[in-house]
Every structure is written in C-alpha cells, then in structure tokens.
Amino acid sequence: TVEGGTANVADVYPLAPLQEGLLFHHLLAHDEDDAYVMPVVMEFSSRERLDAFLDALQKVIDRHDILRTGIVWDGLSQPVQAVWRKAELPVHEVALDPNDSDPVQQLLTGVGLSMNLDRAPLISTHIAPVPEDERWVALVRMHHIVQDHTALEVVLAELDAFLIGRGGDLPDPLPFRDFVAQARSGADTEGQERYFAELLGDVTEGTAPFGALDVRGDGSGVVRAQVPFAPELDARLREVSRRLGASAATVMHVAWARALATMSGREDVVFGTVLFGRMNAGAASERVPGPFMNTLPVRVRTGDMGVLDAVSAVRGQLAELLEHEHAPLALAIQASGMTGNSPLFSSLFNYRHNTEPAAEPVAVTSTEPWDGPVGGIRTLFTRELTNYPLAVSVDDDGDAIGLAVDAVSPIDPEAVGVLVRTAAENLVSALELALDGGPQAPLSTVEVLDDARRRQVLVDWNDTAVEVGSSSLSGLFEAQVGRTPGAVAVVFEGVEVSYAELDGRANRLARLLVSRGVGAESVVGVALERGVDMVVALLAVVKAGGAYLPIDPEYPSERVAFMLEDAAPVVVVTSQAVAGVVPSGVPVVVVDEHAVVSELAGVADGPLGVRVLPSHPVYVIYTSGSTGRPK
C-alpha cells in the first residue's frame, strides 16, 4: 500500500486507542462522508501566497511521522500505521462556477468529506482560482485519526514559523511512535478491565438524551449553538471550585450529569468524557502532533448523593480515569453489563482549556485558526464533527466560560445549552449554601429549568384548549363518519376499511355488548391481536358507554388473571386465536366464532342512543411498578 514500496517505509507500529475507534467509524461509513474528516476552507490574496502556504505545509508534514502515516488493515490480524519516508501533499486544482457566489459550499459539496486512510499523508488540498479575481481558495482536509485539537495547534504554530522564515528555529520533532509504544507497553489490560467492570458491570441500559441512540452517524445535520456564561456565574463557579479543592471541570461534569439525568429520564447516567491524553504521555508531548486524546465513560448516580458528595465522587472518578486514560473505549464497553448493539452512552462531554477563543463553525474573522502572522491569508470556514448525536463542550478561556453544543435534529442545541447553564448556576448556589454551613441539597433536586422555560413547559405548552363539536369520543367519530363516509379509516396488512364500514361494524358489536349488560362505566376487556377487529372492538365499547381494558395476549397468565379479577369486566371481547388467555368463568364474546358472527349479522346498524357523559371513563389500563407487579 505504500507508494514507492518497502524503501519508502520508515516505520510500522500499532494504532493508539483513539485511532482504533476512529478507524471503526471510518469503516462503518464505507465510501460515504466521514464525520472525522475536518475541512478548512482558506482564501489567499494571490497564487504566490497560496504556494508559500502549500510549501510550508509540506515542510511540516516532512517533520512529523504521524503526518506521514497511512492506516493499513486489510489482511492483517490487527490494524497498523505505516509511516512513509516521503509523503507528498496531494494538491488538486478544480474550477469554480463563475455564476455561483459561494466558493466554500462549492468546494465542500464538490469534493466531499471522504478520504482513503491507507495513503499518506492524511491531509489533502483542493485549490481553485476565484473567477475574474487574483484570489485563490483552498479546501484543506485533515483526518482526525492523525491529529487532535492540541496537534492542530502544533501544526498551525509550525506553519506560522515556516511562513515567516523561522522554520530553522523549530525544535527537533518527536515521534508519535513513542507515545504509542508507551501506551501499549504500559497498558495494564487486566487492571483496566477490573476498573471498568467495577464501575459499569451492573449497567444494562444505555443513557440516551431525548432517546437519541444513533452513535454511528456521519455528523451531517449537526447544528451548533453557543451559550455563554455570565461573568458573575463564571466567577462564582471558579470560587466555589477553589473552596472545594476541586477544578471547575469537575464541577461542570456534575452539572452536566444533572442535566443529562433530566434529558434521559434516568437518575443513573453514563456519558463519554474527552481526556487530554498528554498528562502521562512523556516529556514534551505537547510538541507532538497526533491523536493523544481519548474518550472514556463516566458514571454518576445523580439520585443517591448530595451536591458536596457528588463533586467528591466525580473528582475521585476522574482521577482514577486518568490512570486508565489510554484504555480502548471498546474495552470499557465490553466490561459493562450492556448486551446487544445498544450504545452505553450517546452523548459526549468535553471540558476544553483554550488558549484562544473557540472558533465558530463558520467564520471570516482574522482570529480564526489558520490565520497566520503574514497577510493575504484568512480562514473562510472550519468545522469539527462527531458521530455522537449530542456533544457539549465547555470552552474555558481562563477568564470566561461558555458552552458549545453540537446536536442532531430533533435535539435543540440552544435549549440543551441553557439547560446545562441553568444546572450549573443552581449547582453552584447549592454548593455555596452547603459550604457556608447550610444543608447539603440532594443533586437530584438541583433545578435545570430557568423561569422562562419552566413557564413554557408548565403553562404555554399546556395551553391546548380547543373548541370541539362533541364532548365524547364516539360523538367525534360519528361526526367524521358524516363528513367522509367513504374515506379510508383503517389499513391493516393490505385491507382497507372506510369510516362508514368501521362505524357500521362498531355499531353492531356495540348493540351486542349492550345486550350482554355493558353500559355507562362498566369495564369490557379486549383481548385481541392487532388488526381491524381490535379497532372495531375498542370503538364498540366506547359506543356502548363502557370503558375498555386492553389485554395483550402475550401477557403472562398470572398478570391477565390479576387484571381481570381486579377490574371485574362485564365481558371480554376476544377471538378464537387468543381466547385461551382468558381464564375460565369469565364471560367472553368471541368475535369470529360462528354463533357470534351470525348474531352480529342480524343486529341492526345505526346510532345506539346511549348517553355517554364526559365524566365517564374511556379505558382502564394497568402498568408495572418497580416490583414488576401490575398496579
């Protein structure tokens, strides 16, 4: 796979933990867009300025083994990365449509976000002259499998050095292979397995905010929202963290866990946290481009602890996690109690200590990445994506904190950001109170809704009163029959039933039920398989003035017996296929039994004239409590 053959192979070594996960998602995407291809579109004042940039980028590539890496896996027992001695930066010239004024979108849609990972370097450029202008634009694509956020900063700093003629002053490059060797040789696999089994062994259900379970997306459709913290909240957060002897990152992990508990409907939550990866990676690791970062699970039982105890527990867990920061995420998931294909978590939390303000997804200011110290070069667009449907990043700039929320529809990133900010503010208040000698509030009582959103949920969204023409379900249905008698009302396995036919069948069964003693407020069991007969039966019960009790034929016999004994229905409507679920001694109407079919055929159609009041129940339903018994 190496261009130039064996002579061009400088080194071969395994993948780092993060690289293994990124390769998995790359293979999952096949030849489609890859969520971990980072695109940057740049503008140059002239071709000379563009050539100077391309020359500088090639020199940076020549310096670092990770930037000359290709990933090889076909036919191997495990994937490896092969370092090329010489890897030429691919430069492809393309033409822009002079009638299209958006060169950024032209480049992104024309080139796409799919890269071959087996060819070095995993950086490519597509350049184009701006029609009728001296300017040039370039799309630079770099795969996350060879760089993380810190690595990008290293590359940008070295680019700056070469562009101003100071490349010779750069320190000797350090190989990424040293980090891989350290992470591999120092890995205590048994210790990692023990740690994650103890942490996650009893977790059998994943944590999915808003029910979003797809963690195999390509990042398309992601919408970002920026939610800043007020200076007062920023100062209070840092002060309360200092008093606790904890970091602001630890406190924000707790705030995020509280918000996530609300979004997922769970008190025991698991989420992925992004680890820097360079703390124990050896001397001068900050000068090595490459993906040192890793993502590993954090678990917080938000319903069991007070706010002070929660901060202490999360601080301890994060410290323990650092001892295993290079463990593969797959190992952690396998050590959990999860089975099947459901994800352990579908949200990501990243506390970022930024030396510069975080970039917008689309920006044209002169403070964005890739804007070097020389003139004539500026960034038009940059974007980082993830396969997770929800990712929350805390951008800590030293004197200000804000949230960057990336979410896939239907999740609203702005709403999530406000939720997390409100949780942080109320958590800080609860911690201040406890530290000042007040009571320690349970973490589960920390509010996540501000006043405006609480009113929206409790008042605005509940203002649903509308005028209706009838006060009963049967009356509403009969009014629809009058409007569209021939329209299709029910479709099941290719069979279509009109409103008129459904009404007629329901009327005849309702008259039969009345003859069996059904009336206002009496209960009628319905034990039928899904289909047209079920809809007829439910509607017939309502027309007869009764309340239906749905009985799933697949329920355990003990549960069915309990429900029938407790609800004491006048009769149970069923079919020959499932009548066996009804205990003997309970009156039944078997709708497809010959005698009942004949009886129904002789019943008159038309309204029953049964008086149904709004206060009469429509149905009775049983749910399972925590004991598993119906209630």
Short mmCIF file of all heavy atoms in Angstrom, two decimals, residues 218-257:
data_model
loop_
_atom_site.label_atom_id
_atom_site.label_comp_id
_atom_site.label_asym_id
_atom_site.label_seq_id
_atom_site.Cartn_x
_atom_site.Cartn_y
_atom_site.Cartn_z
N ASP A 218 -22.70 10.29 10.55
CA ASP A 218 -21.55 10.89 9.87
C ASP A 218 -21.38 12.37 10.23
O ASP A 218 -20.57 13.07 9.65
CB ASP A 218 -21.69 10.75 8.35
CG ASP A 218 -22.93 11.44 7.80
OD1 ASP A 218 -23.66 12.08 8.59
OD2 ASP A 218 -23.16 11.36 6.58
N GLY A 219 -22.16 12.83 11.22
CA GLY A 219 -22.03 14.23 11.64
C GLY A 219 -22.83 15.20 10.79
O GLY A 219 -22.89 16.39 11.10
N SER A 220 -23.45 14.71 9.72
CA SER A 220 -24.24 15.61 8.88
C SER A 220 -25.49 16.03 9.64
O SER A 220 -26.05 15.28 10.43
CB SER A 220 -24.63 14.91 7.57
OG SER A 220 -25.41 13.76 7.82
N GLY A 221 -25.93 17.22 9.39
CA GLY A 221 -27.11 17.73 10.06
C GLY A 221 -26.86 18.28 11.45
O GLY A 221 -27.79 18.68 12.15
N VAL A 222 -25.58 18.30 11.86
CA VAL A 222 -25.27 18.84 13.19
C VAL A 222 -25.47 20.35 13.20
O VAL A 222 -25.05 21.05 12.28
CB VAL A 222 -23.81 18.50 13.58
CG1 VAL A 222 -23.38 19.33 14.79
CG2 VAL A 222 -23.68 17.02 13.89
N VAL A 223 -26.12 20.84 14.23
CA VAL A 223 -26.32 22.27 14.43
C VAL A 223 -25.61 22.66 15.72
O VAL A 223 -25.73 21.96 16.74
CB VAL A 223 -27.82 22.62 14.51
CG1 VAL A 223 -28.00 24.10 14.79
CG2 VAL A 223 -28.53 22.22 13.23
N ARG A 224 -24.88 23.77 15.68
CA ARG A 224 -24.15 24.23 16.87
C ARG A 224 -24.80 25.47 17.45
O ARG A 224 -25.26 26.35 16.73
CB ARG A 224 -22.69 24.51 16.52
CG ARG A 224 -21.94 25.25 17.64
CD ARG A 224 -20.46 25.33 17.41
NE ARG A 224 -19.82 24.03 17.57
CZ ARG A 224 -18.50 23.86 17.61
NH1 ARG A 224 -17.69 24.91 17.47
NH2 ARG A 224 -17.98 22.67 17.76
N ALA A 225 -24.80 25.52 18.77
CA ALA A 225 -25.26 26.71 19.49
C ALA A 225 -24.20 27.10 20.52
O ALA A 225 -23.61 26.23 21.16
CB ALA A 225 -26.59 26.44 20.20
N GLN A 226 -23.95 28.38 20.65
CA GLN A 226 -23.01 28.90 21.63
C GLN A 226 -23.82 29.53 22.77
O GLN A 226 -24.67 30.38 22.54
CB GLN A 226 -22.10 29.97 21.00
CG GLN A 226 -21.31 29.49 19.79
CD GLN A 226 -20.03 28.77 20.18
OE1 GLN A 226 -19.74 28.62 21.35
NE2 GLN A 226 -19.26 28.35 19.20
N VAL A 227 -23.57 29.09 24.00
CA VAL A 227 -24.29 29.60 25.17
C VAL A 227 -23.26 30.10 26.17
O VAL A 227 -22.60 29.30 26.85
CB VAL A 227 -25.17 28.50 25.80
CG1 VAL A 227 -25.89 29.04 27.04
CG2 VAL A 227 -26.17 27.97 24.78
N PRO A 228 -23.07 31.41 26.30
CA PRO A 228 -22.06 31.95 27.21
C PRO A 228 -22.53 31.94 28.66
O PRO A 228 -23.73 31.92 28.94
CB PRO A 228 -21.87 33.38 26.71
CG PRO A 228 -23.20 33.74 26.11
CD PRO A 228 -23.75 32.47 25.52
N PHE A 229 -21.57 31.94 29.58
CA PHE A 229 -21.86 32.11 30.98
C PHE A 229 -21.71 33.60 31.32
O PHE A 229 -20.80 34.25 30.83
CB PHE A 229 -20.89 31.31 31.85
CG PHE A 229 -21.23 29.85 31.98
CD1 PHE A 229 -22.05 29.22 31.07
CD2 PHE A 229 -20.72 29.10 33.04
CE1 PHE A 229 -22.36 27.88 31.17
CE2 PHE A 229 -21.02 27.75 33.16
CZ PHE A 229 -21.84 27.13 32.23
N ALA A 230 -22.58 34.11 32.18
CA ALA A 230 -22.43 35.48 32.65
C ALA A 230 -21.14 35.58 33.47
O ALA A 230 -20.75 34.62 34.14
CB ALA A 230 -23.63 35.89 33.49
N PRO A 231 -20.46 36.73 33.43
CA PRO A 231 -19.22 36.88 34.23
C PRO A 231 -19.41 36.54 35.70
O PRO A 231 -18.52 35.97 36.33
CB PRO A 231 -18.87 38.36 34.02
CG PRO A 231 -19.48 38.72 32.70
CD PRO A 231 -20.75 37.93 32.61
N GLU A 232 -20.57 36.87 36.26
CA GLU A 232 -20.83 36.57 37.67
C GLU A 232 -20.83 35.06 37.91
O GLU A 232 -20.25 34.57 38.89
CB GLU A 232 -22.16 37.18 38.11
CG GLU A 232 -22.49 36.89 39.57
CD GLU A 232 -23.92 37.28 39.94
OE1 GLU A 232 -24.67 37.69 39.03
OE2 GLU A 232 -24.27 37.14 41.11
N LEU A 233 -21.50 34.30 37.01
CA LEU A 233 -21.54 32.85 37.16
C LEU A 233 -20.14 32.26 36.99
O LEU A 233 -19.75 31.35 37.73
CB LEU A 233 -22.50 32.24 36.14
CG LEU A 233 -22.55 30.70 36.10
CD1 LEU A 233 -22.90 30.12 37.47
CD2 LEU A 233 -23.55 30.22 35.04
N ASP A 234 -19.38 32.78 36.04
CA ASP A 234 -18.01 32.32 35.82
C ASP A 234 -17.19 32.49 37.10
O ASP A 234 -16.49 31.58 37.56
CB ASP A 234 -17.38 33.09 34.67
CG ASP A 234 -15.92 32.77 34.47
OD1 ASP A 234 -15.62 31.60 34.17
OD2 ASP A 234 -15.07 33.67 34.65
N ALA A 235 -17.28 33.67 37.72
CA ALA A 235 -16.52 33.95 38.94
C ALA A 235 -16.97 33.06 40.09
O ALA A 235 -16.14 32.53 40.85
CB ALA A 235 -16.66 35.42 39.31
N ARG A 236 -18.27 32.87 40.25
CA ARG A 236 -18.79 32.03 41.33
C ARG A 236 -18.39 30.57 41.15
O ARG A 236 -18.05 29.87 42.12
CB ARG A 236 -20.31 32.15 41.40
CG ARG A 236 -20.82 33.50 41.87
CD ARG A 236 -22.34 33.57 41.74
NE ARG A 236 -22.99 32.53 42.54
CZ ARG A 236 -24.17 31.99 42.24
NH1 ARG A 236 -24.82 32.38 41.14
NH2 ARG A 236 -24.68 31.06 43.01
N LEU A 237 -18.41 30.10 39.90
CA LEU A 237 -18.01 28.71 39.61
C LEU A 237 -16.56 28.48 40.00
O LEU A 237 -16.21 27.48 40.65
CB LEU A 237 -18.23 28.41 38.13
CG LEU A 237 -17.67 27.07 37.62
CD1 LEU A 237 -18.34 25.90 38.32
CD2 LEU A 237 -17.87 26.97 36.10
N ARG A 238 -15.69 29.41 39.65
CA ARG A 238 -14.27 29.25 39.96
C ARG A 238 -14.03 29.35 41.47
O ARG A 238 -13.21 28.62 42.03
CB ARG A 238 -13.46 30.30 39.21
CG ARG A 238 -13.53 30.15 37.68
CD ARG A 238 -12.63 31.15 36.97
NE ARG A 238 -12.95 31.24 35.56
CZ ARG A 238 -12.49 30.38 34.63
NH1 ARG A 238 -11.72 29.37 34.99
NH2 ARG A 238 -12.82 30.54 33.36
N GLU A 239 -14.76 30.23 42.13
CA GLU A 239 -14.56 30.41 43.57
C GLU A 239 -15.05 29.19 44.34
O GLU A 239 -14.38 28.71 45.26
CB GLU A 239 -15.29 31.66 44.06
CG GLU A 239 -15.28 31.88 45.57
CD GLU A 239 -13.88 32.04 46.15
OE1 GLU A 239 -12.92 32.30 45.37
OE2 GLU A 239 -13.74 31.87 47.38
N VAL A 240 -16.22 28.66 43.99
CA VAL A 240 -16.73 27.50 44.71
C VAL A 240 -15.85 26.28 44.44
O VAL A 240 -15.65 25.43 45.33
CB VAL A 240 -18.20 27.23 44.36
CG1 VAL A 240 -18.34 26.47 43.04
CG2 VAL A 240 -18.91 26.46 45.48
N SER A 241 -15.28 26.19 43.24
CA SER A 241 -14.36 25.09 42.93
C SER A 241 -13.12 25.19 43.80
O SER A 241 -12.62 24.18 44.33
CB SER A 241 -13.99 25.11 41.45
OG SER A 241 -15.13 24.99 40.63
N ARG A 242 -12.61 26.42 43.97
CA ARG A 242 -11.42 26.62 44.81
C ARG A 242 -11.71 26.22 46.25
O ARG A 242 -10.89 25.55 46.89
CB ARG A 242 -11.00 28.10 44.74
CG ARG A 242 -9.72 28.41 45.51
CD ARG A 242 -9.54 29.91 45.69
NE ARG A 242 -10.61 30.49 46.51
CZ ARG A 242 -10.67 30.39 47.83
NH1 ARG A 242 -9.73 29.72 48.50
NH2 ARG A 242 -11.67 30.95 48.50
N ARG A 243 -12.87 26.59 46.76
CA ARG A 243 -13.22 26.26 48.13
C ARG A 243 -13.39 24.75 48.32
O ARG A 243 -13.13 24.22 49.42
CB ARG A 243 -14.51 26.98 48.53
CG ARG A 243 -14.40 28.49 48.59
CD ARG A 243 -15.73 29.15 48.92
NE ARG A 243 -16.20 28.77 50.27
CZ ARG A 243 -17.40 29.10 50.74
NH1 ARG A 243 -18.26 29.78 49.96
NH2 ARG A 243 -17.76 28.73 51.95
N LEU A 244 -13.80 24.06 47.28
CA LEU A 244 -13.98 22.61 47.35
C LEU A 244 -12.67 21.86 47.15
O LEU A 244 -12.62 20.64 47.39
CB LEU A 244 -14.99 22.16 46.28
CG LEU A 244 -16.46 22.49 46.53
CD1 LEU A 244 -17.26 22.32 45.25
CD2 LEU A 244 -17.01 21.60 47.64
N GLY A 245 -11.64 22.56 46.70
CA GLY A 245 -10.41 21.87 46.36
C GLY A 245 -10.55 21.03 45.11
O GLY A 245 -9.86 20.02 44.94
N ALA A 246 -11.44 21.44 44.25
CA ALA A 246 -11.70 20.73 43.00
C ALA A 246 -11.51 21.69 41.84
O ALA A 246 -11.38 22.90 42.02
CB ALA A 246 -13.12 20.15 42.99
N SER A 247 -11.52 21.17 40.64
CA SER A 247 -11.41 22.01 39.46
C SER A 247 -12.79 22.42 38.98
O SER A 247 -13.80 21.76 39.29
CB SER A 247 -10.68 21.27 38.34
OG SER A 247 -11.46 20.17 37.89
N ALA A 248 -12.84 23.49 38.20
CA ALA A 248 -14.10 23.88 37.58
C ALA A 248 -14.60 22.78 36.64
O ALA A 248 -15.80 22.59 36.47
CB ALA A 248 -13.93 25.19 36.82
N ALA A 249 -13.66 22.04 36.04
CA ALA A 249 -14.03 20.94 35.15
C ALA A 249 -14.81 19.87 35.91
O ALA A 249 -15.81 19.32 35.42
CB ALA A 249 -12.79 20.33 34.51
N THR A 250 -14.38 19.58 37.14
CA THR A 250 -15.09 18.58 37.95
C THR A 250 -16.51 19.04 38.25
O THR A 250 -17.48 18.28 38.11
CB THR A 250 -14.34 18.32 39.26
OG1 THR A 250 -13.06 17.77 38.96
CG2 THR A 250 -15.10 17.35 40.15
N VAL A 251 -16.67 20.29 38.67
CA VAL A 251 -17.99 20.82 38.99
C VAL A 251 -18.89 20.81 37.76
O VAL A 251 -20.08 20.47 37.83
CB VAL A 251 -17.89 22.24 39.58
CG1 VAL A 251 -19.27 22.83 39.83
CG2 VAL A 251 -17.09 22.22 40.89
N MET A 252 -18.32 21.13 36.60
CA MET A 252 -19.12 21.13 35.37
C MET A 252 -19.50 19.72 34.95
O MET A 252 -20.56 19.51 34.35
CB MET A 252 -18.37 21.85 34.25
CG MET A 252 -18.39 23.36 34.36
SD MET A 252 -20.07 24.05 34.46
CE MET A 252 -20.79 23.45 32.92
N HIS A 253 -18.66 18.73 35.24
CA HIS A 253 -19.05 17.34 34.99
C HIS A 253 -20.29 16.98 35.81
O HIS A 253 -21.20 16.30 35.31
CB HIS A 253 -17.90 16.38 35.35
CG HIS A 253 -16.93 16.12 34.25
ND1 HIS A 253 -15.97 17.04 33.88
CD2 HIS A 253 -16.77 15.05 33.42
CE1 HIS A 253 -15.26 16.54 32.88
NE2 HIS A 253 -15.72 15.34 32.58
N VAL A 254 -20.34 17.45 37.05
CA VAL A 254 -21.50 17.18 37.90
C VAL A 254 -22.74 17.89 37.36
O VAL A 254 -23.84 17.32 37.31
CB VAL A 254 -21.22 17.60 39.36
CG1 VAL A 254 -22.46 17.40 40.23
CG2 VAL A 254 -20.04 16.81 39.92
N ALA A 255 -22.58 19.16 36.95
CA ALA A 255 -23.71 19.90 36.38
C ALA A 255 -24.24 19.23 35.12
O ALA A 255 -25.45 19.12 34.91
CB ALA A 255 -23.29 21.34 36.08
N TRP A 256 -23.31 18.76 34.29
CA TRP A 256 -23.72 18.08 33.06
C TRP A 256 -24.46 16.78 33.40
O TRP A 256 -25.48 16.46 32.78
CB TRP A 256 -22.50 17.80 32.19
CG TRP A 256 -22.75 16.77 31.12
CD1 TRP A 256 -22.17 15.54 31.01
CD2 TRP A 256 -23.67 16.86 30.01
NE1 TRP A 256 -22.66 14.86 29.92
CE2 TRP A 256 -23.58 15.66 29.29
CE3 TRP A 256 -24.55 17.84 29.58
CZ2 TRP A 256 -24.34 15.41 28.16
CZ3 TRP A 256 -25.33 17.60 28.45
CH2 TRP A 256 -25.20 16.40 27.75
N ALA A 257 -23.98 16.04 34.40
CA ALA A 257 -24.65 14.80 34.78
C ALA A 257 -26.08 15.08 35.23
O ALA A 257 -27.01 14.33 34.91
CB ALA A 257 -23.87 14.09 35.88
#
